[in-house]
Amino acid sequence: MQSMLNLAPADFAGLRYPCSCGRTHGVDIQKILIESGCIVKLPEVIRELGGKHVFILADNNTYAVCGEQVEALLSENGITHHSRVFVSETPLVPNEYAVGSALAAMEMEDDMILAIGSGTLNDTARLLSARTRLPYVIVATAPSMDGFASTVSPLILDGMKITIPAVYPVAIVADTAIMKDAPMPMLTAGFGDIIGKYTALADWRLARDINGEYYCNEVVELVEKAVEKCAANAAGLCVRDEEAVKAVTEALILSGIAIGLVGVSRPASGAEHHFSHYWEVIALQNGEEHPLHGNSVGVAAVISASLYELAKDELPENFVLPDKAHIIACQNAADACVDPKALGITKELFHESVLHAMEIRERYTILRFLDHKGLLPAFADILTERFYGETV
Ligand SMILES: [Zn+2]
Ligand SMILES: [Zn+2]
């Protein structure tokens, strides 16, 4: 069997791979399309997967992008369908209302769920799919986050962000000709979520070296290769170059697949994600808006890489640091944010998050490493001064 490294993202559908790490990795997604114009293949995909009566979930924005086109394609091909389109001025929140209202719109005859969107609609459809045991297909409209190929739904229930185990989509249809026209903050968010893999992978290496955690070299190389392709195309993102958008889309889908391959989110998420979640949780508690997940992750990758740089004399011998200068250069090339202040994070919240972001979850990262060494308070002061220009 050829190495995973040589597979195109679409080839991961249905993969069973005996890996050099000693495990057999698997992917339970049956169809992955990442191409320009691939939306026209949607009826074929649905039919192949047995869909005859399809429940379409969209919001007014994603419906405007390709909802009518999807409905027309299904009608032309004799696939019965009906839609629930959420209409809202503000972004749809993945809460009890979204889940309950979508469920109430379903019909007894439905045999497939089709979400048109990215974050929230995908997360809602994933949970519905898990509870109704109907397969779901995602038509991606924006390369904004890495949850397309994921098995968990992060939802806001009773005002708290929680992650519920759910299911994979049976198919992902990512038409890059559609996705390239997504709002620019969504493009940079997807890019930032990918750049965050540099520090996530550093945290995985650290956890292996310090705690002897399971680590898969092939999966790491796979993610690194996808990230490098995005980095090389960074400048193209600002001008909506389709190749750059495709690189980001592929990397986002691959990083979800990588999580599925190893059964833990190590290949995709480390301290940079804990910062992002911490800021989001505080914003939710205060009833404030927060940046898009990936835009926070991109900035937090700079912070995490800065912590590694400060800690370099304490790290295990020959430990390969995440390259802070490269991370900043990538974010700058894509015209994405590198500064927590510019992201809207207050100085107080920033300082607090360096000290407490690790409490978001029980996971070994550079933050816990520094905490064990007693260095976190001093480094929090150094970085707060660096980013906010005055001592605390
Ligand atoms: Zn492996
Ligand atoms: Zn992420």
Side-chain angles (χ1 to χ4, degrees), residues 23 146 196-216 219-220 223 255-274 308 361-369:
R23 296 188 182 180
D146 65 4
K197 308 313 173 209
Y198 282 122
T199 48
L201 295 177
D203 281 339
W204 198 8
R205 288 198 298 278
L206 189 67
R208 173 198 63 187
D209 293 353
I210 304 281
N211 284 343
E213 245 182 64
Y214 162 76
Y215 183 90
C216 173
V219 168
V220 168
V223 174
S255 77
I257 287 173
I259 294 174
L261 292 173
V262 293
V264 285
S265 60
R266 276 291 186 196
S269 164
E272 74 297 322
H273 272 73
H274 301 168
Y308 268 103
R361 61 179 297 185
E362 196 66 44
R363 166 165 290 187
Y364 199 82
T365 66
I366 184 66
L367 291 169
R368 290 206 182 264
F369 175 83

Side-chain angles (χ1 to χ4, degrees), residues 100-278:
S101 149
L103 183 67
M106 292 188 73
E107 295 173 359
M108 286 304 291
E109 297 79 13
D110 292 339
D111 55 17
M112 184 174 276
I113 300 166
L114 174 75
I116 303 175
S118 60
T120 300
L121 290 151
N122 193 27
D123 291 333
T124 306
R126 187 192 314 288
L127 184 65
L128 284 188
S129 169
R131 294 296 177 267
T132 60
R133 303 193 184 194
L134 297 180
Y136 95 97
V137 172
I138 174 77
V139 171
T141 51
S144 59
M145 47 93 232
D146 65 4
F148 295 114
S150 158
T151 57
V152 297
S153 272
L155 299 172
I156 315 285
L157 301 181
D158 288 326
M160 299 280 290
K161 187 177 170 112
I162 59 165
T163 299
I164 302 185
V167 290
Y168 268 133
V170 286
I172 302 171
V173 176
D175 185 337
T176 49
I178 292 174
M179 297 171 84
K180 75 174 175 42
D181 291 324
M184 197 46 87
M186 298 186 98
L187 297 185
T188 54
F191 185 81
D193 210 1
I194 291 307
I195 292 304
K197 308 313 173 209
Y198 282 122
T199 48
L201 295 177
D203 281 339
W204 198 8
R205 288 198 298 278
L206 189 67
R208 173 198 63 187
D209 293 353
I210 304 281
N211 284 343
E213 245 182 64
Y214 162 76
Y215 183 90
C216 173
N217 217 20
E218 291 198 47
V219 168
V220 168
E221 282 181 30
L222 182 70
V223 174
E224 278 173 344
K225 187 178 162 195
V227 175
E228 287 309 334
K229 194 170 165 192
C230 290
N233 283 285
L237 208 62
C238 314
V239 291
R240 301 181 179 282
D241 171 64
E242 209 173 321
E243 275 310 303
V245 172
K246 188 175 181 190
V248 173
T249 305
E250 286 182 342
L252 290 169
I253 291 174
L254 255 184
S255 77
I257 287 173
I259 294 174
L261 292 173
V262 293
V264 285
S265 60
R266 276 291 186 196
S269 164
E272 74 297 322
H273 272 73
H274 301 168
F275 276 107
S276 157
H277 291 172
Y278 191 87

Side-chain angles (χ1 to χ4, degrees), residues 300-312:
V302 178
I303 298 164
S304 186
S306 305
L307 289 170
Y308 268 103
E309 196 178 69
L310 290 171
K312 69 175 182 295

Side-chain angles (χ1 to χ4, degrees), residues 3 105 107 130 203-204 225 233 285 306 335 344 350 356 358 360:
S3 160
E107 295 173 359
D203 281 339
W204 198 8
K225 187 178 162 195
N233 283 285
Q285 279 172 6
S306 305
D335 211 8
F350 175 79
H356 298 292
M358 64 182 170
I360 284 283

Side-chain angles (χ1 to χ4, degrees), residues 13-80:
L15 180 79
R16 284 286 167 279
Y17 182 78
C19 183
S20 59
C21 73
R23 296 188 182 180
T24 295
H25 301 309
V27 181
D28 293 324
I29 304 171
Q30 296 177 47
K31 200 90 198 170
I32 300 169
L33 297 182
I34 311 169
E35 292 161 32
S36 186
C38 67
I39 191 88
V40 297
K41 296 183 182 165
L42 182 63
E44 188 184 315
V45 170
I46 291 175
R47 209 177 292 120
E48 235 176 80
L49 297 168
K52 295 187 183 70
H53 198 286
V54 179
F55 173 53
I56 300 172
L57 202 53
D59 66 21
N60 47 329
N61 293 317
T62 65
Y63 189 82
V65 170
C66 64
E68 268 178 48
Q69 190 184 3
V70 166
E71 287 180 343
L73 280 167
L74 267 54
S75 296
E76 282 163 23
N77 286 275
I79 299 168
T80 309

